[in-house]
Amino acid sequence: MTDTLELCHWIGGEKVDAERPGEGLNPSDTREVVARRPEGGTAEVDAAVAAAKAAFPAWAEASPELRSDVLDRAGTLLMARREAIGTLLSREEGKTLAEGIGETVRAGRILKYFAGEALRLHGQNLASVRPGVEVQTRREAVGVFGLITPWNFPIAIPAWKAAPALAFGNTVVLKPAGPTPATAEALVAVLHEAGLPRGVLNMVVGRGDVGQALVDHPDVDGLSFTGSQGVGAGVAAGAAARQARVQLEMGGKNPLIVLDDADLDRAVTIALDGSFFATGQRCTASSRLIVQDGIHDRFVAALAERLRGLKVGPALDPTTNIGPAVSEAQMETSYRYVEIARGEGGRVVAGGDRLQLETPGWYVQPTLIADTAAGMRINSEEVFGPVASTIRVKTYEEALEIANGVEFGLSAGIVTGSLKHARDFQRRAKAGMTMVNLPTAGVDYHVPFGGTKKSSYGPREQGFAAVEFFTWTKTAYTAL
């Protein structure tokens, strides 16, 4: 057992104490309370937005070197504390310790990347069509951003939203996900330790009403949201009603095509990684395995065998391969979809049974379901757990049609030895990101992230694309 954390809101650069009616349990051992949390509301959101609005002019006009230095120092601090913060992340979210530490390091690298971007904010000098007139463009900060972040990457996603917002001179109010506020608070604390001025970054802990208060607040100039499609649609409608900027990432039902010419061992390893690690709780996870007939049976048998060799267990156990689901609700969702798939005719070839381990937790056995059809619910609805299904196809064209045949379009992959099919897939896959001979889950932090259809809405996140959302362009004309 480890000491229970007592969480606070962060408003105006200070911890704001409050009653803590909420408890966050360790998914690996539900007897342990990781953190007690406050339940903020409209009053806390109003105070946080007011602090961010007051801090905006000075932060926007500050030297970009100052902003760069703060982000760089914060990145260094995160990476130096990777063990402690990664352990907290694993206790709170359920990722294995290796995954928790890796995510903490990723957050540090994101901060350092945007430390550099703060110094690279540039415009253009253009020739006017009128003699004696000069035209220039410049990028300027927008104002106050509300960031609504999910629990599955509790430090990386707050970092990749907050870092560009701060780098380009905006101020922020962060609403972290209900199951993982302690990890988000660790990020906020590090940024303040690194020298962030008061009011530039604020955090309000609470339920959905906190997010709604941010969506509706007249002084919030932009909203960046990652979560479910249903909630995201409401965020978009609320932002549009008052003409605020909005950026949404809303999940996926990602396909991995395996063609007959694929290397079997490589294909199995790619599917194992993309479908099941991080307990399948990744919006980029490959939940639909679309496998050509000639390799299908061998692929299913080999993947099932690899799954049976994975150890499900407590996140901090170094021998664990798959940690628990983040919550009882997520665990039950996974098992419910296994039963739905069985009821529709799917055949469970590995996993599918409930686990009883020495410590009480929300454990899900990695599950592979064969003999499914494209129209089944298991192949059209997001499970967000370590559950994958296979769909047998005869041709590449059939595989591509099925891959594109859902309402999501975040990440899509193919395993093949054919350059022709690989290049064709990159062109024709209806997804924001395509992977050739790589897992669908696994992206770099310095390039654009986002999808098509109902997976994403608004400008891309991460990398050099982030400037589009977190700044606006001013065009200046001068008569010489």
Side-chain angles (χ1 to χ4, degrees):
M1 301 289 283
T2 307
D3 290 343
T4 300
L5 299 175
E6 304 291 337
L7 304 184
C8 298
H9 308 297
W10 283 73
I11 299 174
E14 296 181 351
K15 288 187 175 184
V16 177
D17 210 354
E19 292 185 4
R20 300 176 178 88
E23 288 186 340
L25 304 182
N26 183 343
S28 298
D29 185 347
T30 54
R31 299 168 299 184
E32 179 188 348
V33 179
V34 176
R36 293 188 179 89
R37 59 180 183 266
E39 296 288 358
T42 302
E44 288 78 12
V45 170
D46 286 345
V49 173
K53 185 177 180 180
F56 172 69
W59 183 247
E61 295 173 12
S63 165
E65 189 171 61
L66 185 153
R67 299 196 295 266
S68 176
D69 286 349
V70 169
L71 292 172
D72 186 65
R73 283 194 296 267
T76 297
L77 287 170
L78 273 187
M79 289 193 282
R81 298 172 189 172
R82 66 185 72 185
E83 298 280 346
I85 295 176
T87 298
L88 171 62
L89 192 160
S90 295
R91 287 178 59 222
E92 187 176 46
E93 197 270 351
K95 287 184 178 177
T96 65
L97 182 57
E99 290 167 340
I101 291 172
E103 184 182 334
T104 303
V105 171
R106 181 184 181 90
R109 295 198 183 281
I110 289 167
L111 294 176
K112 284 182 167 291
Y113 172 83
F114 281 105
E117 290 297 279
L119 299 170
R120 286 190 283 267
L121 197 61
H122 58 78
Q124 295 177 305
N125 288 318
L126 301 167
S128 173
V129 296
R130 293 170 288 175
V133 175
E134 182 181 77
V135 183
Q136 295 176 319
T137 67
R138 56 177 289 160
R139 294 250 178 206
E140 295 188 0
V142 174
V144 177
F145 278 90
L147 310 181
I148 303 172
T149 60
W151 47 259
N152 62 322
F153 285 91
I155 197 165
I157 292 181
W160 87 41
K161 291 180 187 295
L166 298 173
F168 303 138
N170 302 286
T171 55
V172 167
V173 179
L174 169 66
K175 189 271 177 197
T180 54
T183 306
E185 187 183 63
L187 173 66
V188 172
V190 161
L191 280 159
H192 281 91
E193 184 180 343
L196 203 65
R198 290 174 177 268
V200 171
L201 172 62
N202 308 273
M203 183 181 79
V204 179
V205 178
R207 299 180 184 271
D209 55 344
V210 171
Q212 191 62 51
L214 281 173
V215 171
D216 295 338
H217 203 292
D219 290 331
V220 173
D221 301 291
L223 293 149
S224 182
F225 166 87
T226 298
S228 70
Q229 202 283 324
V231 176
V235 172
R242 57 183 189 81
Q243 299 180 348
R245 291 186 170 214
V246 65
Q247 175 188 67
L248 309 176
E249 294 296 342
M250 299 171 289
K253 192 66 185 171
N254 308 295
L256 177 70
I257 295 172
V258 180
L259 296 185
D260 284 347
D261 62 6
D263 178 276
L264 179 62
D265 289 342
R266 187 176 192 180
V268 167
T269 298
I270 287 169
L272 191 75
D273 183 314
S275 301
F276 301 102
F277 285 111
T279 319
Q281 296 176 148
R282 297 182 286 191
C283 56
T284 52
S286 15
S287 55
R288 295 183 295 146
L289 307 175
I290 304 167
V291 188
Q292 200 170 0
D293 191 65
I295 199 174
H296 178 274
D297 292 349
R298 289 180 293 132
F299 172 84
V300 169
L303 181 55
E305 186 64 25
R306 292 283 297 274
L307 280 181
R308 296 185 192 105
L310 295 178
K311 179 182 176 182
V312 179
L316 300 184
D317 182 340
T319 66
T320 291
N321 302 119
I322 305 290
V326 72
S327 66
E328 184 177 16
Q330 284 301 127
M331 176 187 73
E332 292 298 337
T333 294
S334 291
Y335 284 120
R336 179 166 59 87
Y337 272 100
V338 171
E339 292 310 310
I340 288 170
R342 278 185 169 131
E344 292 183 320
R347 176 172 58 94
V348 175
V349 293
D353 297 323
R354 290 182 179 267
L355 294 172
Q356 295 293 329
L357 304 185
E358 290 184 10
T359 56
W362 296 311
Y363 297 104
V364 180
Q365 195 172 28
T367 302
L368 179 64
I369 305 168
D371 301 337
T372 72
M376 290 181 178
R377 289 179 63 188
I378 194 66
N379 291 319
S380 59
E381 299 174 12
E382 190 173 32
V383 179
F384 223 66
V387 180
S389 51
T390 66
I391 304 169
R392 187 192 298 263
V393 296
K394 294 186 180 300
T395 66
Y396 165 72
E397 288 295 333
E398 182 187 2
L400 183 64
E401 182 180 0
I402 290 172
N404 288 336
V406 296
E407 64 181 9
F408 295 103
L410 183 56
S411 183
I414 188 169
V415 189
T416 180
S418 165
L419 180 61
K420 173 186 174 182
H421 285 136
R423 292 301 190 203
D424 184 78
F425 175 79
Q426 287 177 320
R427 288 192 302 271
R428 295 170 63 199
K430 292 178 177 156
M433 299 174 290
T434 61
M435 310 290 182
V436 174
N437 294 328
L438 289 166
T440 58
V443 296
D444 291 352
Y445 55 83
H446 67 299
V447 297
F449 177 95
T452 63
K453 296 186 277 189
K454 289 190 176 181
S455 285
S456 300
Y457 181 83
R460 287 290 188 253
E461 291 194 284
Q462 293 201 78
F464 55 84
V467 71
E468 296 295 333
F469 182 64
F470 289 107
T471 66
W472 62 283
T473 301
K474 177 181 285 183
T475 305
Y477 292 87
T478 305
L480 303 177

